[in-house]
Amino acid sequence: MKTLLLKKDEVRRLIGMTEVIGAVEEAYKAFNSHQVEQPDYIGIDLPSPRGEIDFKLGYYKANELISMKASSGGFVDNPTAHGVPNGMATILLFDAKSGALICVMDGSLILGLRTGAAGAVSVKALARKNARTIAAIGTGNQAGMQIRAINEIMKIEEIHAWDSHADTLYKYKTDIESEFGIPVIMANSKKEAVEQADILITTTRGKGSLVEADWVKPGTHIVAIGTDQRGKQELDPEIFRNAKVVVDSIAQCAEKGETWHPLNKSIIAKDDIHGEIGEVLLGRKPGRESDDEITIFDSTGMAIQDNTTASKIYQNGIANSVGTFFQFFE
């Protein structure tokens, strides 16, 4: 048995956003259909100016693959000090029948693609059907990926964007307008952006409340992406009090996600969480039930998303003779 190596450019050639959205939907449904074994993920914070590294492991019974992803972020000095990006990811795929390593692939694109696709899946399930305006709090790489994914499933008329870094905001505006022709209005404040939102996307590395409850208008769907560890926060916990809260994993979000904050302050109880996104997709729980509801999708990211997405890339690599095989086992 040989192992397939897929580099970043090869991964890019082997999958598109539409396929990733399908893979993420499959992942969420599988998670709520007793098809997944997924231990708690491990995150290690490293001393400044370094960031963090996370390890996520998942087994999917339907495809008999085990995936393991290591992803890092926030290493701000990497480009100048080490000549590598400030965030990286690697995915290993193992054959669950034998335990053999069958694929090593760059995971940085998958991380961005599948997280963007998660937001799009939540928009399909929870946003108002007449939603047209997006507010982006944070305009880094993942903010752009959210637009790439959501643009696949709805018509975006305009984006109101805010970032604490003016150069990042300007690059986001330039990139989105040139790629999609969607007008991006650079907001003077977070409040100004949020008040315009039919769909609010937060993708920062925030350490405190960035979005206040009284800024959020009725009917808004919130895609909360940035909080995946204790210590991170983007939303005023009061937003959760009268919202429909849907998460990717209750176990993860209650411990490490944005949902931890209102739980910790007793603004909501665990029973107030409406459900997991897989339950909504399977029809076991309702999605949006009125145009006035505020809905929140709290996404901490799950190993099964990496598994289904990487599996599709691996299959496409084999089918199209892309990548390099090497003899890992003697």
Side-chain angles (χ1 to χ4, degrees), residues 3-11 13-14 103-105 313-314 316-326:
T3 304
L4 181 64
L5 174 65
L6 292 171
K7 298 179 182 179
K8 188 173 185 177
D9 284 344
E10 293 166 333
V11 170
R13 288 157 47 198
L14 289 172
C103 188
V104 178
M105 71 174 73
I313 291 166
Y314 174 70
N316 289 348
I318 298 291
N320 293 282
S321 301
V322 174
T324 304
F325 280 102
F326 64 96

Side-chain angles (χ1 to χ4, degrees), residues 146 210 230 290:
Q146 289 290 321
L210 295 174
R230 289 276 182 97
S290 83

Side-chain angles (χ1 to χ4, degrees), residues 157-320:
E157 291 185 351
E158 64 181 18
I159 300 166
H160 295 258
W162 178 89
D163 197 285
S164 57
H165 302 284
D167 55 341
T168 306
L169 177 57
Y170 184 74
K171 184 179 186 303
Y172 174 87
K173 174 181 172 67
T174 304
D175 290 349
I176 295 298
E177 290 185 342
S178 63
E179 185 173 351
F180 301 108
I182 301 167
V184 176
I185 295 118
M186 295 190 292
N188 294 312
S189 67
K190 292 171 287 185
K191 181 175 185 286
E192 184 180 289
V194 171
E195 287 178 338
Q196 302 300 316
D198 297 327
I199 296 166
L200 169 62
I201 302 167
T202 60
T203 57
T204 73
R205 302 178 67 80
K207 300 292 187 182
S209 176
L210 295 174
V211 177
E212 299 300 323
D214 59 2
W215 301 350
V216 180
K217 68 183 182 183
T220 302
H221 174 56
I222 301 172
V223 183
I225 295 294
T227 300
D228 59 359
Q229 280 191 353
R230 289 276 182 97
K232 293 183 180 180
Q233 184 182 6
E234 298 183 301
L235 304 178
D236 177 356
E238 281 293 332
I239 299 172
F240 285 74
R241 188 181 296 277
N242 297 307
K244 175 175 281 181
V245 182
V246 177
V247 300
D248 52 9
S249 159
I250 289 175
Q252 283 186 185
C253 291
E255 290 296 320
K256 302 175 182 180
E258 194 68 44
T259 306
W260 178 82
H261 295 282
L263 287 170
N264 185 52
K265 290 181 177 294
S266 298
I267 290 169
I268 63 170
K270 224 179 216 185
D271 287 346
D272 294 319
I273 298 171
H274 178 67
E276 293 170 330
I277 188 76
E279 295 177 287
V280 175
L281 296 174
L282 289 164
R284 296 175 187 166
K285 298 272 180 79
R288 173 174 291 276
E289 294 177 276
S290 83
D291 280 353
D292 290 333
E293 262 185 326
I294 292 172
T295 53
I296 300 172
F297 176 57
D298 184 8
S299 172
T300 46
M302 298 198 297
I304 186 58
Q305 294 169 260
D306 302 318
N307 186 304
T308 54
T309 306
S311 171
K312 186 65 180 171
I313 291 166
Y314 174 70
Q315 292 164 11
N316 289 348
I318 298 291
N320 293 282

